[in-house]
Amino acid sequence: MSMLLEREGLLAALAARFALAAQGRGGTVLVSGEPGIGKTALTERFMRDAAPRSLLWGACEALSTPRPFGPVHDLARGLGPPLRAMLAGQADRGPLFSALLDELTRLPAPVLLVIEDIHWADAATLDLVKFLGRRLVRCPVLMLLTHRDDEGVMALLRPVFADLPAAGVTRIAVPGLTPAAVQHMATAAQRDGCGVHATTGGNPFFVTQVLADAGDGVPATVRDAVLARAAQLLPAARQVLDLAAIVPRAIELALVDAVLSSNDADVDACLLAGLLVADGSTLRFRHELARVAVEQALLPARARSLHARTLAALQQGPAAAPLARLMHHALLAGDDGAVLRLAPQAAQEAAARGARREAAAHCRHALALADRLGDTEHATLLDAYAAHCFELNDLAAAIPAREAALALFEKTGDLPRQVETLAAHTMPLVRALRNAEADAASRRAIELARQLPPGPPLALACATESYLRMLNRDLDDAVEWGEQAIALARRFELPAILAGALKTVGAALLFVDPARGRALLQQSLDIAHTLNDGGAGVADALLMLGTASGEVHEFEAADRAIADGIAFAHERDLDRLAGYMEAWRSLCDMYQGRWELAGERAHAAVAREAAGSTNRLMALVALARLRNRRGDPGAMEVLDEALALARQSGTLQRLAPVHCARAEAAWQARQPAAVRQEVDAVFALATEHRHPWFIGELAFWRWRAGGEPVVPPHCATPHALQIAGRWREAAAAWRERGCPYEEARALADGDEAAQRDALALLDRLGARPLADQVRATMRAAGVAAVPRGPRAATRRNAAGLTARELQILALVAEGCRNAEIAVRLSRSTRTIDHHIEAILAKLGAPSRGEAAAAARRLGLLDDPSAN
C-alpha cells in the first residue's frame, strides 16, 4: 500500500518553503511525529515532487552509541573527494563544517539536504545542524530534518532547535489519518475497516500492518501484526530476518552472506512477505517499528549469538567498520574483552569529532568493566571520561571521575599525570563555584611539579595557578605566576600553555594596565590561531577580553570582543564558552540602556544554563538589576539565588556583583540598614583586591544609605565624583561610558534643569522606580510643573509591561500559542515562554486567559503599538 493520503497540505507547505530556498532564502524544515506516522513517506514524496537540482540524503542509526557524523558519511557520497577525505581522515570539525557548507553553496541550486531520524544523531551531527542552520538562511539550500516528538527526544533536541534562527525554521507536525482515510485504505485492501482507526489512532504504518495481517480480527499492537507475518517464514528465511533485525537501519547483503551463508531464496522470501525491502546492496525493514518488534522477540541467547557472529564478520571484513558499529555489537554480544578494547578507541574518535556525549557513553561502557583494567588504564579512562563530562557541563560526573583518576595516579606514583589531572580538575571545580577546592588542587599540583625537573608539568601548574588568581582578582599574584608559566612555556616550546598564560596575564593587567593587557591578549590570540584545539583558545581569549572590559565599564571594547567571541564560538559550536559571553552580553546591554534586548538575552541565558554554573550566575545578576530598575516583580527572588551561588564561589568576582545589585535593590526599597549590610559583606574584600569599580559602587551605596561622603582609595572615577558632590562631572563620566541609567542617577543630584534631564532619560528607559523618586524629590522642593512622564502609556500600561510584552499579550488574547507567537515574532519559543511568565507575574494572573481578561479590563489591548 503505497498510497499517501491526507498529506496534500503538508506537501504544499514543503513546496512553498523550497520555493523560497530557490530564491536564496534557505533554512531548515523540522518534520516531526510519532513513530510510524509517515515522516519518511512524506519526505520521500516531497523529494520526488520537488525535483531539486541537487539532492543530498543521510540518515541516523539507532546504535547503542551513535557513530560520529553518521549521516554525514551518507551525505558525503554526493559531494567532492576533498570532503570525503576530510571525513575519513578525522579532520578538525571546524574546517570540516566549513568545507561542507562550501560544497553545498557550490552545488547546482536549489539544493535539498535531508537528514532523517535526527533523534538518533550523535552530538557532532547535532552541532553540524546548528552550524548549517545558522548559515543557510542566506543560501539556496533547504535542510529537512525528520524526528520523533516524544518528550524524551525533545529534551535532547530542544536546545539544538532553540539555537537555530527562528525566522529560518519551518515546523511541520505530521498528524494521524482520519477515520475516513483509514476506511479508504481498508477498502483498497479488501478488508473490513471496522475498529481499525480506534485501534491504530490513524498511525499509517500500524494501519498497513493491521490490514496486511491475514488473521481474524484486529491485532492489538504493531508487534503482533509484524510477528504474525514473520511466523509464516521458513526457518532459513527467518534467520535472515532475525539477522537484519539486530542491525539498525540496514544490513549489507555481503554481511548476511558472511554470517549466514544464506541463498537468494531466503532473502527473496523476506522481500515477498513485505517485511524487508532491498535498497541496492542492502536490506532494511520497511519501518524501524517492525525491526524493533522482531529484535525484541529474539531469545537472549539467540540475540547474543547473532551479535557475536556479526561482530566477528565485521572485524574480518575487507573494509574497516565504524568503531561505533563494532561497539554496538560488542556490547549486545556481551563480549567484555571487545568492549574494553574498542571503547577507548571509539571514545577518542567521537571526541575528535566533537561528539562528547557519545565519547562519554563509550567511556561509561568500559568503566563498567573497570575491575578488569590495570590502575593506569583505569585512571586514564576515568580522566578521559571526566574531560568529556566537563565539556558536556556534567559537573556532577566530571568531578568525582577525576578525583578517582587522581587517586589511581597517586597509587601508581605517576607524578606528571598527577600534575596534569590536578590542573584539569580545577576547571570543573571553578565552574561549579567550588573555588576553594580548585585552589587546593592547584597548590598540590605546584607542590608535585616542583618535585620534578623543570618542564611541562611545572609550566602547566604555574599557568593554572595564574588563572585561578586572576579569577579571584589577586592581580599581582596572577601576573607573577603567569610570567613563570610564560618563561617555562617558551623554554620548552609549549604553545598551548604559552597562549593560556599570556591570556591570563593579559586579562589581569586589563584592570591595572589596560594597554599592556590588550597587547598580551593579542599575542595570546595570535598563538591560539595556530593551535589545533577547535578554536577554544581563541574563543577563550576573546571571552577574557570582553568580560574583563565589561567589568571595568569599558563597554565599547566589551561589546566588540563579546560579539566577536560569540560569533567565533558559535561558528565552531563552542557553546560552553559562548554561554558565558552571552550572559555577560546581557549585563552589558543592561548597563548601556538596551533593556529590551538585555531582558530577552538574560531570560534566555537563565533558561539555558544549568543551576550552579558561573554562566547562570552572571545572567541572574543582569536579570535582577533589570527587574529592579524597571520595577518588575521577582528581583529579590533572583538575587537570592544569585547570592547562594556566589557564596559557593567565595570570590570577589562573583560576590561583588551580587552584593552591589542587592544594595541597589535595598536602597530603592528605602532600607538603608539593608544597604549597609550588603556593602559590609564584601567591601573589605574589594578593598583588599584594590578593585576600583567594586570599591566605587559599594562606597556609593554606603554613602546613599547615610554614610559620610568619603571617597576611598582606588575608587572608580564616576563614583568618586558623585560621592564628592560633583554630580555634573559624574554624569558626564557616565555618559562617556554609555551608561544612561547611571548618568540619570547622577543628574538627579543636580539642579532643577539636571533633574528634568534625568527624568527624560529615566522615562525613555522605563525606569519607573527611580523616576518616581526624582519626581517626588522635585515636588518636595516646590518645583512647579514637574513632568508627569508618558501619561497615555501609563494609563494604558499600569502593569509596567514592555513594548514586546504588550505585543505578545495581544497575540495571547487572539488565542495564539507560544510556538505560533515565536514564529510570528521571529523569536525562539523559549524566549516567548519567559515573556509569558513575566506578563503573568506583572498582571498577577494565574493563567493566560485571565491575563488576557485583565489586559482588556486595563485597556492594554486598545492599541498595543502606542506603548
Side-chain angles (χ1 to χ4, degrees):
M1 297 181 188
S2 59
M3 63 186 73
L4 194 62
L5 300 176
E6 299 183 331
R7 301 297 187 240
E8 295 84 358
L10 303 183
L11 289 167
L14 287 169
R17 188 62 189 85
F18 191 55
L20 289 176
Q23 298 169 18
R25 297 161 59 189
T28 305
V29 174
L30 306 175
V31 177
S32 64
E34 66 183 61
I37 203 67
K39 300 183 293 295
T40 295
L42 177 70
T43 300
E44 289 177 348
R45 175 65 63 85
F46 172 59
M47 288 191 294
R48 183 168 67 251
D49 293 350
R53 293 192 65 194
S54 301
L55 173 64
L56 299 174
W57 177 92
C60 304
E61 298 175 284
L63 296 172
S64 302
T65 303
R67 178 189 184 188
F69 291 135
V72 184
H73 289 272
D74 295 330
L75 301 176
R77 298 191 187 105
L79 299 172
L83 189 134
R84 292 198 296 272
M86 292 178 73
L87 196 59
Q90 297 191 10
D92 179 71
R93 68 183 194 157
L96 178 62
F97 286 7
S98 297
L100 178 56
L101 180 63
D102 290 343
E103 289 269 7
L104 290 173
T105 56
R106 281 197 291 263
L107 289 171
V111 179
L112 178 60
L113 185 158
V114 176
I115 302 178
E116 295 200 60
D117 298 323
I118 199 72
H119 48 271
W120 286 322
D122 62 286
T125 296
L126 294 179
D127 285 342
L128 175 63
V129 165
K130 291 190 288 186
F131 177 87
L132 293 177
R134 292 164 179 160
R135 293 159 179 79
L136 294 183
V137 291
R138 295 180 295 275
C139 304
V141 181
L142 185 65
M143 179 168 62
L144 189 154
L145 311 173
T146 70
H147 66 91
R148 294 181 179 178
D149 60 359
D150 57 87
E151 187 53 38
V153 164
M154 292 310 298
L156 172 67
L157 295 181
R158 275 195 199 98
V160 178
F161 296 162
D163 276 345
L164 301 177
V169 175
T170 301
R171 298 171 187 267
I172 293 180
V174 183
L177 299 174
T178 63
V182 172
Q183 183 58 53
H184 180 83
M185 294 174 68
T187 300
Q190 299 181 336
R191 295 289 305 275
D192 182 4
C194 181
V196 173
H197 186 273
T199 300
T200 63
N203 182 292
F205 177 72
F206 196 0
V207 171
T208 60
Q209 296 303 303
V210 166
L211 295 178
D213 183 63
D216 296 329
V218 177
T221 65
V222 166
R223 181 179 185 276
D224 294 342
V226 171
L227 294 181
R229 296 166 69 190
Q232 300 173 25
L233 295 173
L234 294 174
R238 181 59 189 265
Q239 285 191 350
V240 173
L241 190 72
D242 290 348
L243 178 62
I246 70 156
V247 179
R249 199 177 121 202
I251 184 170
E252 300 87 347
L253 286 169
L255 183 58
V256 175
D257 290 341
V259 175
L260 297 178
S261 300
S262 59
N263 58 49
D264 291 345
D266 300 328
V267 172
D268 290 344
C270 295
L271 299 175
L272 291 171
L275 290 164
L276 297 180
V277 294
D279 190 0
S281 61
T282 64
L283 299 172
R284 61 177 175 84
F285 279 80
R286 286 191 176 274
H287 197 280
E288 178 68 9
L289 288 173
R291 186 193 70 78
V292 171
V294 175
E295 181 184 34
Q296 291 180 345
L298 292 171
L299 294 173
R302 169 71 171 155
R304 284 195 299 273
S305 173
L306 286 172
H307 280 293
R309 293 162 67 185
T310 301
L311 176 63
L314 287 171
Q315 290 178 316
Q316 296 166 9
L323 287 166
R325 188 176 181 185
L326 296 177
M327 268 293 292
H328 174 80
H329 293 295
L331 284 167
L332 296 178
D335 189 339
D336 294 350
V339 169
L340 288 171
R341 183 180 70 257
L342 293 168
Q345 302 173 46
Q348 185 176 9
E349 178 188 69
R353 294 301 199 190
R356 293 285 186 171
R357 187 178 68 242
E358 286 68 35
H362 288 308
C363 289
R364 278 194 297 271
H365 291 313
L367 287 170
L369 306 169
D371 57 341
R372 300 180 54 175
L373 293 172
D375 289 340
T376 298
E377 291 175 296
H378 188 187
T380 301
L381 188 60
L382 282 165
D383 194 52
Y385 177 60
H388 304 320
C389 291
F390 172 65
E391 293 299 334
L392 293 169
N393 213 27
D394 185 0
L395 306 182
I399 291 171
R402 194 153 265 137
E403 288 171 345
L406 180 60
L408 288 170
F409 283 132
E410 288 174 347
K411 182 179 176 182
T412 63
D414 190 334
L415 288 184
R417 291 304 301 269
Q418 288 179 60
V419 173
E420 291 176 21
T421 304
L422 284 163
H425 193 37
T426 63
M427 295 301 105
L429 288 172
V430 165
R431 193 183 298 175
L433 298 166
R434 293 162 59 177
N435 291 62
E437 294 172 67
D439 289 345
S442 179
R443 288 192 296 270
R444 178 61 176 159
I446 292 170
E447 178 185 336
L448 294 175
R450 283 176 170 164
Q451 297 176 29
L452 298 166
L458 184 57
L460 177 61
C462 290
T464 301
E465 182 67 9
S466 173
Y467 180 73
L468 294 178
R469 300 283 57 78
M470 183 275 298
L471 290 181
N472 202 36
R473 301 306 184 247
D474 299 323
L475 303 181
D476 292 341
D477 290 342
V479 172
E480 181 179 346
W481 284 106
E483 288 177 343
Q484 291 183 55
I486 290 168
L488 288 164
R490 284 179 169 149
R491 176 181 170 186
F492 294 100
E493 298 182 353
L494 306 169
I497 294 176
L498 178 59
L502 287 167
K503 170 196 67 184
T504 301
V505 173
L509 289 174
L510 281 179
F511 296 95
V512 293
D513 187 351
R516 186 178 171 215
R518 294 185 203 289
L520 291 179
L521 280 166
Q522 186 58 55
Q523 290 182 42
S524 173
L525 278 169
D526 293 342
I527 297 170
H529 278 295
T530 69
L531 300 177
N532 187 24
D533 64 352
V538 172
D540 205 17
L542 290 168
L543 178 152
M544 289 284 192
L545 178 59
T547 59
S549 296
E551 193 171 307
V552 297
H553 290 60
E554 297 286 349
F555 292 114
E556 184 178 344
D559 283 348
R560 188 166 53 250
I562 289 174
D564 290 347
I566 290 173
F568 185 90
H570 278 318
E571 285 174 4
R572 290 148 184 84
D573 295 289
L574 297 167
D575 293 344
R576 170 178 61 86
L577 298 170
Y580 188 67
M581 288 185 277
E582 285 164 346
W584 252 101
R585 181 162 62 173
S586 67
L587 261 174
C588 293
D589 289 334
M590 186 276 302
Y591 277 114
Q592 295 176 88
R594 300 189 291 258
W595 285 7
E596 187 77 17
L597 198 55
E600 290 187 9
R601 287 170 169 168
H603 272 300
V606 169
R608 180 178 58 248
E609 298 299 339
S613 70
T614 53
N615 299 11
R616 181 178 179 87
L617 172 56
M618 300 316 294
L620 288 170
V621 172
L623 183 59
R625 294 203 105 154
L626 185 62
R627 286 182 178 179
N628 185 63
R629 292 180 176 191
R630 288 199 303 208
D632 294 347
M636 284 311 300
E637 291 85 347
V638 173
L639 283 171
D640 286 343
E641 181 188 348
L643 181 59
L645 293 177
R647 283 174 172 167
Q648 291 178 33
S649 163
T651 65
L652 177 68
Q653 183 190 21
R654 306 304 173 200
L655 288 167
V658 176
H659 283 292
C660 286
R662 292 174 68 88
E664 179 178 12
W667 178 77
Q668 195 156 285
R670 294 178 172 82
Q671 297 173 345
V675 173
R676 289 191 290 272
Q677 182 180 351
E678 297 295 343
V679 171
D680 291 345
V682 75
F683 188 80
L685 187 62
T687 302
E688 176 188 342
H689 290 81
R690 307 193 307 277
H691 194 299
W693 290 95
F694 293 152
I695 290 171
E697 185 168 5
L698 292 165
F700 173 82
W701 291 123
R702 175 179 283 171
W703 169 59
R704 278 291 205 232
E708 294 295 323
V710 176
V711 177
H714 311 296
C715 182
T717 299
H719 292 300
L721 289 169
Q722 195 162 357
I723 293 170
R726 297 159 62 181
W727 57 265
R728 185 175 284 104
E729 294 168 81
W734 285 120
R735 184 164 55 252
E736 184 180 351
R737 293 179 181 276
C739 301
Y741 184 86
E742 284 75 9
E743 178 188 351
R745 197 167 59 196
L747 289 170
D749 288 351
D751 56 23
E752 179 183 332
Q755 290 172 336
R756 290 180 183 277
D757 289 342
L759 285 177
L761 284 170
L762 295 171
D763 288 338
R764 192 185 75 229
L765 288 170
R768 292 184 296 112
L770 185 54
D772 290 346
Q773 288 187 31
V774 175
R775 287 189 171 91
T777 299
M778 294 175 72
R779 291 190 183 106
V783 175
V786 175
R788 296 182 60 187
R791 289 175 294 171
T794 301
R795 284 199 302 270
R796 263 198 300 273
N797 190 7
L801 299 180
T802 67
R804 177 69 75 191
E805 288 165 350
L806 285 166
Q807 192 178 19
I808 291 170
L809 182 55
L811 294 173
V812 169
E814 290 179 16
C816 297
R817 308 308 298 172
N818 290 14
E820 193 177 347
I821 296 172
V823 171
R824 291 176 66 170
L825 299 184
S826 299
R827 292 290 185 274
S828 72
T829 304
R830 183 180 295 169
T831 296
I832 300 302
D833 291 343
H834 292 301
H835 278 304
I836 297 293
E837 289 176 11
I839 291 168
L840 295 180
K842 290 180 181 182
L843 293 175
S847 69
R848 299 162 64 94
E850 292 190 38
R856 292 188 181 94
R857 188 172 62 253
L858 294 169
L860 298 177
L861 304 180
D862 294 345
D863 183 11
S865 65
N867 292 286

